[in-house]
Amino acid sequence: MTFALKGPVLDGDLVRLEPLDHRHAADLAVAVAEDRGTYTYTWVPTAAEVGAYIDSHHGRAAAGTVAPYAQIRKSTGRAVGVTSFLDPRLRPGGEALQAVEVGFTWLAASAQGTGVNTEAKYLLFRHAFEVWAVSRLDLKTDARNARSRAAIGKTGAHFEGVLRNWAPSWVPGEEGRLRDSAIFSVTDAEWPECRARLLKRLERYAVTR
């Protein structure tokens, strides 16, 4: 059987990752209406665009290229952002996953700096390495996005370099232009150290396991 990219519910102490659905639309419309100052380089819909945004992710999911999640902040029970598995690369034979990317991530301003992003990354990484047994996990961002690059680095992912003209720019006014992408990775050999690092960071938010 060929591997299909479908993400299950991933449940933590601070965040629950649920497959993205239109039932999350009302919460996400509220989330995107908060301060948008950190979204310069990221694909984040406006409140009016949330429905179409979910539809576009569903189209990618149907094509097998993205498994999108709503990020549910457990202290409120409300969806406060989105993240995804994407770009699956299969092992020879197509029955198992060799590598996958984590991306299409954004959070409401009020959820940033609360540990939600850190725990979401932990849940996604853990599932990729410990359930799917990937050899590699990728993360990418606009090379100009210093804030995102710093956040990715804090997960323990290794910076590999900048891929020039790699992907469409999401910056308003740059439609049709390509961006340079900074690429980071975690390998299976590095996962134990990365796992320990993420759990250490979560200690400040009183997350216990």
Side-chain angles (χ1 to χ4, degrees), residues 92-193:
E95 296 181 1
L97 192 62
Q98 177 171 300
V100 72
E101 182 176 346
V102 168
F104 284 136
T105 300
W106 60 267
L107 277 176
S110 60
Q112 296 174 21
T114 64
V116 166
N117 181 60
T118 299
E119 190 177 50
K121 291 294 192 295
Y122 169 74
L123 294 171
L124 292 164
F125 289 18
R126 185 180 67 179
H127 187 79
F129 285 111
E130 298 182 11
V131 177
W132 287 338
V134 300
S135 296
R136 172 189 171 95
L137 184 141
D138 299 332
L139 301 102
K140 293 197 288 286
T141 188
D142 191 304
R144 299 167 292 180
N145 193 342
R147 188 175 187 275
S148 179
R149 289 174 66 162
I152 293 171
K154 289 178 182 177
T155 69
H158 290 260
F159 173 61
E160 295 187 328
V162 173
L163 304 176
R164 298 177 297 166
N165 286 351
W166 181 254
S169 173
W170 299 112
V171 177
E174 294 188 355
E175 292 81 3
R177 292 178 57 183
L178 295 174
R179 76 176 197 190
D180 295 345
S181 293
I183 186 165
F184 297 75
S185 69
V186 182
T187 67
D188 52 354
E190 296 162 348
W191 167 235
E193 180 180 350

